Amino acid sequence: MNILKYSLIGAISFLFAACTSDNTKVEKAQTTTTSIIELSAAQVKNARITTEAAAMRPISKTIQATGKLEVPPQNRVSVSAPIGGFVKSTNLLEGMHVHKGDVLAEIEHQDILKLQEDFLEIRERKLMLLQELERQRLLRKDEVNAVKSLQQAESEFNATQIRFLGLSERMKMIGMNPENFEKENLRSTLKIRASQAGYVTSVQANAGKFVSPNDVLFELINVEHLHAELQVNEKFIGDLREGQKIHFELANQPGKKFEAEVYLIGKSLGDNRSIRVHGHINSNDLALVPGLFIEAKIETGRDSLPSLPQQAIVRFGGRPVVFEELDPGKYQVCLLYTSDAADE
C-alpha cells in the first residue's frame, strides 16, 4: 500500500479518459489483482488527490539526433616558432586560459641575433646607396657623369631595396617591428605570443628543447563559438530549417538540459547516409567542452494532441502508468506504451 499511496500523492493529477482506446497507446494493466485501487474519502482527502481529463495541448514534433560539441577550424590554433631555436622558458600547462598577446614561450638562438644584424646592415647600406643615387642623378642632370654610372647606382640601390624589404618582412614574421628597430634593441631571444585568446589543450615544449618552424609547440582552442555538430538521418532532411530549436544533453551528464539553434544545414550526405547540422549554443556553461558527445532533439513543428503532464506519469510495477478514475475513490491502473516499456 505504501507504493500505491506514494504514487498517488501529488502525482495523479490528470484522468486519462480513454484508457482502452487503440489511439491513446494506453491499455489496462494485465495484473488483475492490482489493476483496481480503491480509497476511502478520507484517504483521497489526506493524499490531496485531484483528477482532470486529458486536454489538447501543443506537442513538439522532434527529430532525434546524436553528435558532439565542436568549434570552428579558425578557433583551433597550433602555435609554432617562426624561427628555429632553443626553448628558454615556458610556464604553460594544459587547461590554462591565455589572452591574445600573452607570452607563451621564449626561444633563444644565434640566428635570431643574426637576422637583426643583417637587417641593420642592409638598412645602412640602403641609405648610403640612396645618397649615391641622388648624387649621380644630379651629376647626370648637369651632364657631368656618364649614363652608365647612373644606371649602375640605380641597379645597386634597387637590389639593396629588395633585400631590405625581404628582411623587413622576416622581422615582422618573428614579431619584431622593423620601422623603429635600432641597434640598442639587439637580442638573441624571441617571445612567442598568443594570436588569440583561448584554452591550452596541448603543450609540446619544455625548457632546453630545440624547436624548428615545423614543430607544433602548443595548441589553443577558443570556446566562444562552440557549437553542436549533429548527424541527422537522411529521411528527415525535408523537415530541417535554419532557426529551429535544439534541446540536447551531454552524454556524461544526462538530465541536464541545454538549448541551441540550427544555423547551418549541410548540403551533402556522409557515409552513414546522414546530413550534418550545426547548432549555435545558447549557453556559456563551463561544462560544455569540445569533443563531448551529445544526444539532441530538433524541434520541427508542433501538433495539438491529447496529453498529460510528465508528473501525471508514475512508475508502477517497474512500468510507466497513469490512473483512471472510474468512480470517486476508485482508480484503474493504465499501462502506457512507451519506447522504455517496450524494451522491458
Side-chain angles (χ1 to χ4, degrees):
M1 186 63 184
N2 288 337
I3 294 177
L4 298 179
K5 184 176 181 182
Y6 174 78
S7 300
L8 291 170
I9 295 177
I12 310 173
S13 57
F14 281 81
L15 163 65
F16 203 89
C19 188
T20 59
S21 170
D22 292 337
N23 296 327
T24 61
K25 295 186 179 180
V26 180
E27 68 172 7
K28 293 180 181 178
Q30 298 300 317
T31 306
T32 56
T33 57
T34 59
S35 59
I36 302 296
I37 301 170
E38 294 191 40
L39 301 175
S40 66
Q43 288 176 316
V44 172
K45 181 179 179 180
N46 291 336
R48 299 188 299 275
I49 296 173
T50 59
T51 60
E52 187 176 328
M56 298 295 291
R57 291 180 173 82
I59 303 298
S60 297
K61 297 170 61 178
T62 61
I63 297 174
Q64 301 280 350
T66 58
K68 60 182 180 178
L69 301 180
E70 277 292 358
V71 294
Q74 63 268 26
N75 283 42
R76 291 183 180 273
V77 179
S78 296
V79 181
S80 299
I83 190 171
F86 294 93
V87 178
K88 184 177 181 180
S89 64
T90 180
N91 297 318
L92 289 193
L93 295 173
E94 291 187 18
M96 291 178 62
H97 183 269
V98 297
H99 298 90
K100 183 178 180 179
D102 284 354
V103 176
L104 306 181
E106 190 173 13
I107 63 172
E108 185 175 32
H109 199 269
Q110 61 184 8
D111 287 349
I112 300 173
L113 183 59
K114 188 175 187 310
L115 174 60
Q116 300 166 74
E117 292 173 343
D118 291 345
F119 172 78
L120 291 175
E121 289 177 4
I122 206 71
R123 188 176 67 180
E124 291 300 318
R125 178 169 174 77
K126 173 192 169 185
L127 293 175
M128 182 188 70
L129 291 176
L130 179 59
Q131 292 173 356
E132 176 62 18
L133 177 59
E134 293 297 330
R135 190 178 73 85
Q136 290 294 334
R137 285 173 176 170
L138 289 174
L139 292 175
R140 184 56 195 161
K141 185 177 180 180
D142 296 334
E143 298 184 352
V144 174
N145 66 338
V147 175
K148 184 177 181 180
S149 298
L150 176 59
Q151 292 175 339
Q152 183 176 356
E154 289 177 340
S155 177
E156 291 180 358
F157 174 79
N158 290 337
T160 303
Q161 174 74 346
I162 293 172
R163 175 70 173 157
F164 171 78
L165 293 175
L167 289 173
S168 296
E169 290 303 314
R170 290 186 63 187
M171 292 278 287
K172 292 177 182 178
M173 287 178 62
I174 67 172
M176 294 183 177
N177 187 357
E179 295 183 3
N180 56 8
F181 188 80
E182 299 298 337
K183 60 183 179 181
E184 293 80 10
N185 304 128
L186 284 170
R187 61 181 186 271
S188 61
T189 59
L190 177 67
K191 294 180 179 179
I192 300 176
R193 299 181 181 274
S195 59
Q196 69 173 16
Y199 290 91
V200 180
T201 59
S202 176
V203 178
Q204 302 295 330
N206 55 269
K209 180 179 181 179
F210 180 83
V211 295
S212 69
N214 295 326
D215 298 327
V216 175
L217 307 183
F218 313 102
E219 291 185 354
L220 308 178
I221 190 168
N222 188 334
V223 298
E224 289 183 1
H225 299 286
L226 191 68
H227 65 260
E229 187 171 293
L230 305 175
Q231 300 291 333
V232 178
N233 190 280
E234 62 178 329
K235 65 182 179 181
F236 299 116
I237 292 177
D239 298 325
L240 295 172
R241 301 287 185 276
E242 292 183 7
Q244 291 172 335
K245 289 185 178 180
I246 301 173
H247 304 276
F248 69 91
E249 299 179 4
L250 303 180
N252 65 341
Q253 295 186 40
K256 188 174 182 179
K257 305 291 185 180
F258 297 92
E259 288 190 357
E261 183 177 291
V262 176
Y263 75 88
L264 185 63
I265 302 171
K267 303 302 179 185
S268 62
L269 293 177
D271 295 336
N272 57 351
R273 307 301 298 174
S274 64
I275 195 167
R276 185 171 296 180
V277 175
H278 299 271
H280 178 74
I281 299 175
N282 303 322
S283 173
N284 293 321
D285 197 306
L286 294 179
L288 301 178
V289 178
L292 286 178
F293 288 97
I294 60 176
E295 296 179 355
K297 294 179 180 180
I298 304 174
E299 288 189 15
T300 60
R302 288 178 176 269
D303 281 340
S304 292
L305 299 172
S307 60
L308 46 143
Q310 184 68 32
Q311 60 266 29
I313 304 173
V314 297
R315 305 293 294 188
F316 183 75
R319 293 179 177 272
V321 299
V322 293
F323 292 83
E324 175 190 10
E325 184 182 58
L326 302 178
D327 291 307
K330 187 175 183 180
Y331 306 94
Q332 179 173 257
V333 180
C334 299
L335 174 63
L336 291 176
Y337 278 128
T338 66
S339 57
D340 292 339
D343 293 337
E344 294 178 352

